[in-house]
Amino acid sequence: MVLSILFYILFMAFTLLFFLLLSVAFVITVPFDRKRTVLHCLSRLWTRCYFGIIPSWRVRVEGRENVVKGKPYVVIVNHRSMLDILLMYVLPLEFKWVSKKEVYKWPLFGWVLWMHDDIAIERGTAGAVRKMVRDGRRWLSRGVSVIVFPEGSRSKTAELNRFREGAFMLAREAGVEILPCVSEGTGTAFNGWKLNFRNKFRLRILPPVPVEEVESTTPKEMVRRMYELMSEEYEQIRRKE
């Protein structure tokens, strides 16, 4: 219990320090940094500090060779907890998140999303997918990847929720590859509010889906293929643990 409390104290200290640093960097760089590259680099540094707070935590990344630096992708990954967002900063890519609009109202975290100029969508509205595709294409055209949780919301079980078509529509219209990723361990890092000090985080980066396949496959069919592939990979990772 004491160690868990100490973790939260250190986490809040790191978070406040990072937010102040990010705010200063935002004011200084936003006039000329269109991609918000500086802010992205600072966020990557912060996530490394976060996972470094607990020395016994381990982060393992597989499939780095499947990523071409500087190439924009529509990245899809399963979703178990908010830690999935921090874990994805191990990707050697500059990217923007697709996030529901309500998250932007959260103190600190929502403000960071705003400073990053991530993509906000209002789920349940008729124009949500169209806006996501429009904003996503804008970033992809600048060489910035876009990360989407195809499940839409966090899975509360060991199985993936059904996928939605938005990410696949974006990849098809933008003419870019889909980079599927599978994360494991983010849903077991906490037991209630207490930490699991033996937790391991794993991210498996799968080979990208070629543009030709993305363009020749309907979003509905791509949903089926990617769901089957990622579910199988997820089970393999869990069995290894």
Side-chain angles (χ1 to χ4, degrees), residues 48 59-68 90-92 205:
R48 288 181 179 178
V59 178
R60 181 177 178 182
V61 183
E62 304 172 1
R64 292 180 189 269
E65 68 278 3
N66 293 321
V67 180
V68 177
V90 301
L91 286 178
I205 307 168

Side-chain angles (χ1 to χ4, degrees), residues 172-229:
R172 195 181 192 196
E173 293 199 22
V176 299
E177 296 181 349
I178 296 171
L179 184 67
C181 299
V182 179
S183 70
E184 203 278 330
T186 58
T188 56
F190 295 89
N191 181 16
W193 65 272
K194 294 182 181 179
L195 268 71
N196 174 7
F197 288 93
R198 297 180 179 274
N199 201 63
K200 296 179 181 179
F201 303 90
R202 293 183 64 179
L203 180 68
R204 180 175 292 180
I205 307 168
L206 307 179
V209 181
V211 173
E212 296 77 17
E213 184 176 344
V214 172
E215 294 180 337
S216 63
T217 307
T218 65
K220 184 176 182 179
E221 174 61 18
M222 189 60 72
V223 162
R224 185 188 66 80
R225 293 183 189 180
M226 290 297 99
Y227 183 85
E228 291 178 355
L229 172 66

